[in-house]
Amino acid sequence: MTTVDVDAAAREAARQRALEQLDILDHPTDERVDRVTRLAREIFGVPMVSVTLLDDDRQWRLSEQGFDGEREAPREGSFCGATVERGSMLVVEDAASDGQFRSNPFVVGDPHLRFYAGQPLEAPGGEHIGTLCILDTKPRTLTEPQRELLREMALWVQSEIAREHEFDRAGEVQRALLPKRAPEVAGFTLAADAIASGSVMGDLYDWYLHEGRLRLTLADVMGKGIGAGLIAAGVRASLRTARDRPLIAAVEDLDRQVSDDLADLHMFVTAVVADVDGATGDVELVDAGHSLSFVVRADDTWHPVRSTGLPLGMGIEDARTSARLRLEPGDALLCCSDGVLDILDVDDPFGQVLRALRQRGPAGAVAEGIALARERKAPDDVTLMVVRRDA
């Protein structure tokens, strides 16, 4: 094997790794990339546009306009493969008279291409992973200003792909910060989970044991996306460092800190923070503008937990108060984010939750809620938390 062959094999291996790390193959079409290909089709006046990714022995269209049938085709002999190998824009004005492509299966067979122009797409590390290409079944020319526009639109596609990858990575980091498992509290069953409406959540939940008490937190940052996710991570960290402080003092300190951090952002955080005594079932709960905590008694009656103060981060000195209650055997404390309101039965929301809780238990009820949020593509983040006293 020559040095040239070794270098080509190394580039191909690096290209394939970069593509796989982006995790965008075989996914539904992305509207942000689709809008680029729709615009390209209109601007260049061509019948077909594609964002094509090269995967081993196939080419797969991340976005396509004007194609029928499958979203993938063989890579061997493809125009896009030649473009990536070339490493720069490839323009074939009349494939039927081009020595390299006149016998190409995409020229002599469906879709009978005559014109092709493709610009390589780079992964964040610079590897060429595919192309943005425009195609026609008639010969065409491409002016220098049009070539420059195609390059610019390819950069636009690259930025959308990279941004989605960064969102995905941020989501992975955020999910890693969620509790790996529920604390073990004798005589109690605990369950919680969360799902983002996008890649990154503005919701958070956390819980841990300290001196025989379970401290739990559920918070919802106003807004969604990376900014809300960063604030949520900060709220979690602040409460974790205040685990030795009394409940009200911990929340008041958090409020001051969040108010300082968000002073210029016009954002706020609703939250519920509670201590549960594992020996007695006594609960002390501070609600900061959240109002979505309930006790479901063993006799199936519902009792909202009332102690609502202002949300965190509003910059208003507000003395916090707490609600106190006791969980008897069979009682459950339920907390959720407001995204749950989008997925519940509007005619019988409490009945829907109660049936899930009684039939499937805390873990099953939480799993059912998360599955419903995923199925209905909930427009907001959904977080659920259940603490049930069993004995």
Side-chain angles (χ1 to χ4, degrees):
M1 182 179 290
T2 67
T3 301
V4 173
D5 292 335
V6 171
D7 290 344
R11 285 195 301 273
E12 172 62 18
R15 187 204 61 74
Q16 185 67 29
R17 283 196 303 272
L19 177 62
E20 291 172 356
Q21 288 170 359
L22 288 171
D23 190 27
I24 53 177
L25 290 169
D26 300 307
H27 286 199
T29 56
D30 187 318
E31 176 58 28
R32 287 172 298 190
V33 179
D34 283 347
R35 64 178 177 167
V36 183
T37 53
R38 285 196 300 267
L39 185 60
R41 186 182 187 185
E42 180 178 342
I43 289 175
F44 291 104
V46 293
M48 293 171 283
V49 179
S50 175
V51 171
T52 303
L53 306 175
L54 301 185
D55 176 34
D56 287 330
D57 59 354
R58 65 168 180 157
Q59 50 180 344
W60 185 79
R61 292 189 287 272
L62 175 66
S63 175
E64 58 183 7
Q65 306 296 328
F67 288 83
D68 295 321
E70 298 293 328
R71 291 173 64 189
E72 66 176 70
R75 175 178 170 182
E76 185 177 1
S78 67
F79 287 79
C80 292
T83 304
V84 167
E85 185 176 344
R86 175 190 177 102
S88 61
M89 182 179 292
L90 172 65
V91 179
V92 180
E93 296 185 339
D94 186 358
S97 61
D98 185 282
Q100 181 179 356
F101 293 105
R102 67 180 133 202
S103 60
N104 187 281
F106 299 102
V107 176
V108 298
D110 189 59
H112 300 284
L113 293 178
R114 295 292 294 277
F115 169 80
Y116 172 91
Q119 172 66 23
L121 299 172
E122 295 183 359
E127 302 87 353
H128 290 155
I129 57 172
T131 69
L132 168 65
C133 59
I134 57 177
L135 310 97
D136 203 339
T137 54
K138 299 182 295 185
R140 302 174 65 102
T141 59
L142 202 66
T143 66
E144 187 54 41
Q146 288 176 318
R147 293 175 188 232
E148 184 58 31
L149 179 57
L150 185 60
R151 293 187 188 97
E152 290 295 326
M153 298 191 83
L155 289 174
W156 184 2
V157 172
Q158 284 179 197
S159 67
E160 294 292 359
I161 291 174
R163 181 172 68 170
E164 183 64 23
H165 178 59
E166 288 303 311
F167 277 139
D168 288 344
R169 287 293 297 150
E172 290 174 10
V173 171
Q174 187 180 57
R175 286 189 290 274
L177 293 177
L178 293 175
K180 300 294 187 298
R181 62 188 64 84
E184 293 185 4
V185 183
F188 284 78
T189 300
L190 283 61
D193 203 353
I195 184 172
S197 61
S199 298
V200 182
M201 288 190 296
D203 285 5
L204 75 95
Y205 76 88
D206 195 18
W207 45 17
Y208 51 83
L209 290 172
H210 179 68
E211 295 183 351
R213 287 180 175 268
L214 170 72
R215 176 161 293 181
L216 62 86
T217 302
L218 191 152
D220 185 355
V221 180
M222 184 189 72
K224 292 178 282 189
I226 293 288
L230 290 172
I231 294 169
V235 170
R236 172 188 179 276
S238 295
L239 284 170
R240 283 248 167 173
T241 59
R243 66 171 64 203
D244 295 333
R245 306 210 62 185
L247 186 66
I248 291 178
V251 175
E252 288 178 341
D253 285 350
L254 175 63
D255 189 14
R256 284 189 287 269
Q257 179 176 324
V258 172
S259 294
D260 290 342
D261 291 343
L262 303 184
D264 298 325
L265 299 179
H266 307 291
M267 298 177 71
F268 59 83
V269 182
T270 68
V272 55
V273 187
D275 282 345
V276 181
D277 190 317
T280 65
D282 289 336
V283 178
E284 181 183 10
L285 184 147
V286 175
D287 191 306
H290 198 71
S291 300
L292 288 170
S293 299
F294 305 88
V295 173
V296 183
R297 297 297 182 187
D299 62 3
D300 292 348
T301 57
W302 286 75
H303 301 275
V305 181
R306 304 294 188 191
S307 78
T308 303
L310 291 173
L312 307 173
M314 299 192 73
I316 300 174
E317 289 291 336
D318 181 36
R320 300 288 169 176
T321 60
S322 63
R324 294 180 180 271
L325 56 103
R326 173 169 290 184
L327 296 178
E328 302 292 350
D331 295 346
L333 174 65
L334 278 62
C335 305
C336 64
S337 62
D338 60 4
V340 172
L341 304 179
D342 296 316
I343 64 172
L344 291 178
D345 182 349
V346 294
D347 295 323
D348 188 20
F350 294 107
Q352 180 183 6
V353 174
L354 185 60
R355 284 190 296 273
L357 190 62
R358 295 302 184 229
Q359 294 173 9
R360 305 189 59 187
V366 168
E368 182 175 316
I370 296 300
L372 193 59
R374 185 177 289 112
E375 174 188 326
R376 297 187 177 177
K377 295 181 171 53
D380 200 357
D381 305 330
V382 171
T383 303
L384 300 162
M385 179 178 281
V386 180
V387 176
R388 186 181 69 188
R389 187 179 183 188
D390 300 320

